[in-house]
């Protein structure tokens, strides 16, 4: 039995309407996830599987023109309890013709207003987020220090600038930026990518949020920097015990930091459960996609031999023309004759196969 | 402001000023050449219809400096200009520089005022639609502004005058007649006509919306949203301040052109009307003086833009 979840996502569907194709790109297509207090949920999957859009939906960052969201996202801490998607459906009208969506009318203005309303007091204060591309994620026109100070003054009881500044420097020190007092006055362009990510982490944690969402926090950084950032996150995790939603395509990083893991494919969760079970070595007893992902981690020997990384064969799912059957069917190597018919025609649901373990695959439903 | 931030501004100032010097030299040479090659001279305009002896004519010519060769005239004029002496108007005999500066102030008021009007109308529409998406209100304002921007400024000016004088009987036709509230009306109407009719509203809306829209897609704006900070505050420098200064710098020449017309229509005692008159009179010193002052105004716009850019952009000031 899981502890009271801090964040509960139920049947989240985030679609982008493509005018030219007269159809929805179903980036997130029925995701249900829960993050329990104090735990780290790792979300892993190839790029394009809908991980970032899931996180952006939680943060109310899917405001771009064609984005449409449905489902429920409940957030509940000791300070607030809120439905984060409240009222968004009333801002969108669909015009259908013969089952096909011909037009989406979205009142962007009202949508933006509703998102603001849902997210005030949440963003930065209850939930913080860090991103891929730390350098671009910091405002290039402001010093790093002032950006952190701003967050502290917005969300904590430190309302006096000098006081907030001292706090910011403390946090810069805490994320292991050396000479934090000097770095405080640096603009992002004067810092390396790794330092910028440290500053982003400092900014995100400085308001002592209940939930941290880290979307590909190490992607794009040099390998050595990557492992240092992972070390830092691990250290902060044990120090602060902050609830975290960690997103990465890198199953190694997910394995190091997560308590629970959800594997995403084609906009859905195909497997979830305790990290040690999901990521254990034997390919049996896990979803074929998870097994393939694990197999694609190059051992250093393999890389040396082949000189390249082995990815999973086949292409990432086309999220417009989703097949009727299992989304992984076209790439799956474990289909047996017994279930072939089902794999092809009918989508499996996400079923509990053991305590806390859920898999979306016909192999396990016999 | 920190000392480190002043140095780059100084560099920009020096660069802009030397550019301006070169430009002024070029402008003066070009204007001079055009005047020299165009038929007629101030002398013949001045003496039109009068019969004078050949002796008297050459005497006047000599006094006016027209006897010299063209390059002689040019260098005479440039060397005067360097000393701050732009010569005297052929028509009125008044010193050109003080006359042009006196009318130049009026033109500056008209130009900057109309720019302000343009921005006050265009910016809210552009910013709102870039930040919140197009709503019915922003759509209608945008379309309306495009229609208005297509109206020629002289036509708009006459319509306004017709309406105020003939329908409302409000409008004095010559500057300085009115007192009190009417005086303000006289001041504001031309500014509004030029601000609305100079054709830049739709352009400013488009440019600002594009720039702000681009900035809205930037990662750091997403961060601002995610941390619950004001998006406008974070987008202000790149999405508003820099593009607005660019627009101002780029639009000043066009608005000066529009000012010539508005000053004619509204009898506004500015540099544009003076230029018009001087062109009719072939009043070379005045034309040259106005060309120089107008060029300086244009350069000031670009100087303003560069200074703002270095002050705002930490990166530019490090380079
Ligand atoms: N604004 C958008 N418009 C249309 N499609 C989008 C948009 N944003 C993301 N997508 C699509 O949604 C899918 C999932 O994207 P994302 O969540 O970023 O994947 P990832 O798992 O790599 O983070 C991708 O196929 C992407 O092309
Ligand atoms: S349902 Fe069938 S196709 Fe899908 S993963 Fe399982 S075995 Fe493979
Ligand atoms: Mg992503």
């Amino acid at each position: 039995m899981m502890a009271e979840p801090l964040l509960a996502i139920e049947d989240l569907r985030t679609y982008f309407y493509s005018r030219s194709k007269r159809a929805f790109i179903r980036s997130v297509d029925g995701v249900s996830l829960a993050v329990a207090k104090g735990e780290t949920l790792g979300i892993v999957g190839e790029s394009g599987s809908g991980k970032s859009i899931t996180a952006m939906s939680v943060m109310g960052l899917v405001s771009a023109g064609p984005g449409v969201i449905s489902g429920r996202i409940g957030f509940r801490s000791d300070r607030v309890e809120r439905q984060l998607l409240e009222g968004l459906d009333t801002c969108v009208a669909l015009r259908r013709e013969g089952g096909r969506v011909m037009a989406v009318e979205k009142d962007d203005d009202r949508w933006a207003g509703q998102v603001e309303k849902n997210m005030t007091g949440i963003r930065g204060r209850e939930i913080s987020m860090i991103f891929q591309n730390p350098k671009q994620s910091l405002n290039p026109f402001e010093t790093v220090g002032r950006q952190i100070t701003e967050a502290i003054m917005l969300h904590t009881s430190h309302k006096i600038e000098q006081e907030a500044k001292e706090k910011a420097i403390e946090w810069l020190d805490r994320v292991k930026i050396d000479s934090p007092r000097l770095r405080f006055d640096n603009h992002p362009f004067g810092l390396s990518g790794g330092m910028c990510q440290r500053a982003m982490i400092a900014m995100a944690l400085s308001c002592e949020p209940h939930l941290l969402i880290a979307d590909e926090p190490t992607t794009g950084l040099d390998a050595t920097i990557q492992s240092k950032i992972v070390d830092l996150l691990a250290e902060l995790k044990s120090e602060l015990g902050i609830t975290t939603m960690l997103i990465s395509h890198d199953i190694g990083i997910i394995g190091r930091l997560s308590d629970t893991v959800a594997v995403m494919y084609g906009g859905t969760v195909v497997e979830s459960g305790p990290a040690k079970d999901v990521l254990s070595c034997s390919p049996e007893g896990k979803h074929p996609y998870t097994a393939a992902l694990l197999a694609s981690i190059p051992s250093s020997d393999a890389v040396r031999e082949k000189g390249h990384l082995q990815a999973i064969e086949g292409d990432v799912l086309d999220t417009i023309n989703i097949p009727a059957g299992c989304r992984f069917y076209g790439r799956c190597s474990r289909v047996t004759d017994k279930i072939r018919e089902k794999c092809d025609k009918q989508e499996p649901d996400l079923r509990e196969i053991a305590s806390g373990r859920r898999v979306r695959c016909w192999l396990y439903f016999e | 402001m920190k000392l480190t931030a002043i140095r780059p501004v100084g560099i920009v100032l020096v660069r802009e000023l030397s550019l301006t010097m070169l430009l002024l030299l070029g402008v003066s040479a070009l204007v001079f050449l055009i005047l020299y090659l165009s038929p007629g001279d101030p002398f013949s305009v001045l003496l039109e219809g009068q019969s004078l002896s050949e002796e008297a004519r050459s005497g006047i010519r000599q006094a006016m400096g027209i006897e010299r060769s063209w390059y002689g005239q040019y260098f005479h004029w440039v060397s005067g200009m360097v000393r701050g002496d732009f010569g005297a108007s052929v028509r009125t005999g008044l010193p050109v520089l003080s006359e042009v500066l006196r009318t130049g102030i009026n033109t500056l008021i008209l130009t900057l005022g109309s720019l302000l009007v343009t921005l006050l109308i265009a910016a809210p529409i552009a910013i709102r639609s870039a930040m919140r998406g197009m709503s019915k209100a922003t759509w209608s304002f945008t379309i309306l502004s495009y229609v208005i921007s297509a109206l020629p400024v002289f036509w708009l000016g006459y319509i306004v005058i017709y309406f105020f004088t003939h329908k409302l009987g409000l409008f004095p036709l010559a500057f300085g007649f009115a007192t009190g509230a009417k005086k303000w009306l006289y001041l504001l109407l031309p500014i509004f006509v030029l601000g609305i009719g100079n054709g830049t509203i739709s352009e400013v809306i488009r440019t600002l919306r594009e720039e702000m829209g681009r900035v809205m897609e930037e990662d750091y704006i997403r961060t601002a949203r995610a941390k619950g900070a004001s998006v406008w505050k974070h987008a202000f420098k790149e999405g508003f301040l820099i593009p607005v200064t660019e627009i101002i710098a780029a639009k000043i020449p066009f608005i000066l052109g529009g000012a010539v017309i508005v000053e004619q229509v509204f009898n506004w005692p500015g540099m544009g009307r003076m230029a018009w008159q001087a062109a009719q009179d072939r009043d070379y010193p005045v034309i040259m003086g106005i060309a120089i002052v107008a060029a300086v105004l244009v350069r000031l716009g670009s100087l303003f833009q560069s200074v703002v850019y270095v002050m705002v952009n930490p990166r530019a000031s490090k380079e």
Side-chain angles (χ1 to χ4, degrees):
Chain A
M1 196 48 219
M2 197 164 133
E4 174 80 18
L6 185 64
L7 182 79
I9 303 174
E10 284 166 54
D11 199 27
L12 176 70
R13 287 166 203 271
T14 305
Y15 295 177
F16 294 94
Y17 187 67
S18 159
R19 245 175 245 279
S20 56
K21 291 176 181 144
R22 290 197 178 287
F24 281 112
I25 299 160
R26 300 195 258 175
S27 302
V28 178
D29 199 14
V31 164
S32 298
L33 287 170
V35 194
K37 284 196 178 106
E39 79 163 7
T40 296
L41 168 71
I43 303 180
V44 67
E46 286 167 295
S47 77
S49 52
K51 306 180 298 294
S52 295
I53 301 296
T54 302
M56 309 252 283
S57 305
V58 173
M59 277 307 241
L61 297 175
V62 183
S63 48
V68 171
I69 308 183
S70 74
R72 290 159 60 82
I73 298 178
F75 181 82
R76 183 175 187 174
S77 74
D78 43 22
R79 287 185 294 215
V80 275
E81 187 173 348
R82 187 89 58 89
Q83 284 297 323
L84 302 183
L85 299 182
E86 192 85 59
L88 290 184
D89 48 345
T90 65
C91 306
V92 181
L94 304 182
R95 198 163 61 76
R96 292 172 195 278
E97 257 168 48
R100 210 169 165 76
V101 181
M102 298 309 277
V104 175
E105 269 180 37
K106 181 172 166 188
D107 189 338
D108 280 318
D109 196 39
R110 257 187 63 220
W111 174 284
Q114 185 66 44
V115 169
E116 283 308 312
K117 201 170 145 217
N118 292 349
M119 299 312 295
T120 8
I122 300 280
R123 285 176 179 160
R125 181 173 306 215
E126 293 291 325
I127 311 178
S128 279
M129 189 163 175
I130 61 173
F131 303 92
Q132 196 177 341
N133 303 331
K135 228 171 168 156
Q136 282 86 282
S137 296
L138 287 164
N139 189 335
F141 297 93
E142 290 282 353
T143 63
V144 168
R146 285 194 47 177
Q147 294 182 56
I148 301 175
T149 308
E150 182 195 18
I152 292 175
M153 287 173 70
L154 276 172
H155 300 302
T156 71
S157 55
H158 304 283
K159 300 291 180 203
I160 301 159
E161 180 148 10
Q162 197 52 40
E163 209 180 298
K165 183 178 171 178
E166 286 308 313
K167 265 275 164 227
I169 290 170
E170 231 171 77
W171 272 103
L172 283 175
D173 192 35
R174 202 146 176 198
V175 296
K176 307 210 161 47
I177 287 183
D178 38 45
S179 20
R181 238 162 243 287
L182 285 177
R183 293 301 174 211
F184 185 92
D185 287 321
N186 272 126
H187 284 87
F189 72 87
L191 301 177
S192 68
M195 288 242 246
C196 283
Q197 193 60 292
R198 283 169 196 271
M200 281 292 289
I201 294 171
M203 185 161 83
L205 296 181
S206 63
C207 308
E208 292 160 27
H210 282 111
L211 176 66
L212 172 70
I213 301 180
D215 185 3
E216 308 270 5
T218 60
T219 308
L221 301 174
D222 293 345
T224 47
I225 311 287
Q226 280 196 21
S227 70
K228 282 191 182 141
I229 295 284
V230 173
D231 290 344
L232 174 68
L233 287 173
E235 213 177 302
L236 289 169
K237 182 188 163 185
S238 63
E239 247 175 63
L240 303 169
I242 183 173
T243 314
T244 307
M245 186 162 136
L246 174 71
I247 294 172
S248 181
H249 68 279
D250 184 337
I251 208 163
I253 288 165
I254 293 288
R256 257 202 75 188
L257 295 169
S258 315
D259 305 307
T260 313
V261 171
V263 182
M264 280 187 71
Y265 183 76
T268 59
V269 175
V270 294
E271 175 165 16
S272 67
K276 56 181 189 318
D277 299 343
V278 176
L279 304 178
S280 66
C281 292
S282 87
E284 278 73 44
K286 56 171 60 83
H287 193 280
Y289 176 63
T290 313
L293 267 186
L294 281 164
S296 73
I297 303 181
S299 67
S300 44
D301 287 344
V303 174
R304 220 172 296 129
E305 254 168 52
K306 293 193 186 167
H308 65 87
L309 305 181
Q310 181 206 344
I312 306 175
E313 260 173 58
D315 296 322
V316 181
L317 190 75
D318 168 0
T319 46
I320 292 185
N321 300 307
I322 289 171
C326 172
R327 290 174 195 227
F328 194 53
Y329 179 59
R331 299 165 78 189
C332 185
S333 58
R334 282 171 59 199
V335 187
T336 59
D337 287 339
K338 207 169 122 206
I339 57 169
R340 185 173 307 277
E341 181 79 13
K342 271 184 160 173
C343 293
D344 188 26
K345 296 273 155 50
Q346 198 182 347
E347 181 167 28
D349 49 1
L350 188 63
R351 265 188 229 172
E352 187 144 17
I353 55 164
S355 167
R357 290 256 299 133
R358 291 161 192 275
V359 176
R360 190 191 287 278
C361 174
W362 290 121
L363 278 176
Y364 298 91
F365 304 161
E366 291 310 309
Chain B
M1 178 178 277
K2 294 204 184 83
L3 202 67
T4 49
I6 292 174
R7 204 180 70 96
V9 173
I11 292 173
V12 167
L13 280 175
V14 169
R15 194 185 61 202
E16 287 288 318
L17 286 179
S18 22
L19 256 176
T20 303
M21 283 302 147
L22 279 178
L23 186 88
L24 291 186
L25 216 61
V27 166
S28 65
L30 193 67
V31 173
F32 188 87
L33 209 65
I34 292 171
L35 288 177
Y36 185 80
L37 294 177
S38 62
D41 60 36
F43 175 67
S44 48
V45 175
L46 206 63
L47 300 184
E48 208 166 59
Q50 300 183 25
S51 57
L52 276 180
S53 68
E54 198 44 50
E55 222 167 78
R57 279 173 185 268
S58 79
I60 293 170
R61 278 170 177 276
Q62 212 145 33
M64 291 172 71
I66 298 173
E67 287 295 72
R68 266 184 275 246
S69 65
W70 67 271
Y71 51 87
Q73 290 180 36
Y74 180 65
F75 282 111
H76 177 68
W77 187 80
V78 167
S79 63
M81 190 180 79
V82 171
R83 281 177 278 116
D85 173 16
F86 282 55
S89 162
V90 173
R91 187 189 173 85
T92 62
L94 293 169
V96 167
L97 187 61
S98 65
E99 282 300 284
V100 171
L101 286 183
R102 185 175 60 78
T103 54
I105 294 292
N106 291 337
T107 297
L108 200 66
I109 292 171
L110 183 63
T111 311
L112 293 185
S114 73
L115 252 171
L116 194 67
V117 168
T118 304
L119 286 172
L120 281 178
I121 295 172
I125 299 174
I127 299 305
R128 185 159 174 93
S129 58
M131 291 180 68
R132 291 288 287 262
M134 296 295 279
S135 66
K136 288 200 182 76
T138 39
W139 266 119
S140 14
F141 276 124
T142 307
I143 292 170
L144 186 70
S145 73
Y146 272 61
V147 172
I148 289 175
S149 288
L151 302 177
V153 68
F154 71 88
W155 184 83
L156 194 65
Y158 282 124
I159 293 291
V160 166
I161 287 184
Y162 175 80
F163 182 74
F164 277 88
T165 52
H166 293 265
K167 293 289 175 206
L168 301 180
L170 264 179
F171 201 63
L173 275 171
F175 184 76
F177 264 31
T179 49
K182 281 189 189 171
K183 193 171 170 184
W184 283 107
L185 195 66
Y186 186 88
L187 187 75
L188 290 180
L189 276 181
I191 289 178
F192 268 92
V193 166
L194 185 56
I196 290 171
N198 62 22
T200 50
I201 288 184
S202 54
E203 224 179 306
V204 173
I205 289 182
R206 188 157 16 92
T207 315
L208 264 184
R209 178 160 54 209
E210 263 169 28
E211 285 299 299
M212 189 48 112
R214 184 179 59 72
V215 173
M216 283 294 119
E217 300 294 310
E218 294 283 342
D219 286 352
Y220 72 89
I221 296 302
R222 188 179 59 187
T223 306
R225 279 210 175 87
K227 78 185 208 190
S230 153
V231 170
W232 164 248
K233 182 186 155 199
H234 280 269
F236 176 75
K237 285 182 180 172
E238 193 182 358
F240 186 75
L241 190 57
I242 293 176
V244 161
T245 53
E246 274 166 4
I247 288 167
I248 291 176
K251 284 298 154 197
I252 283 181
F254 293 94
I255 297 172
L256 282 178
V260 175
I261 296 163
V262 168
E263 287 177 3
Q264 280 302 309
V265 171
F266 283 87
N267 210 12
W268 180 279
M271 215 167 67
R273 207 186 54 168
M274 196 184 195
W276 181 267
Q277 188 61 49
Q280 313 248 303
D281 295 344
R282 294 288 190 280
D283 198 340
Y284 289 3
V286 173
I287 295 175
M288 296 287 282
I290 288 175
I292 294 298
V293 171
V296 168
L297 280 182
V298 171
R299 290 308 297 169
L300 277 180
S302 128
L303 176 72
F304 166 67
Q305 183 222 325
S306 314
V307 169
V308 169
Y309 187 76
V310 234
M311 279 173 60
V312 159
N313 195 340
R315 192 149 206 173
S317 60
K318 288 274 162 23
E319 274 155 11

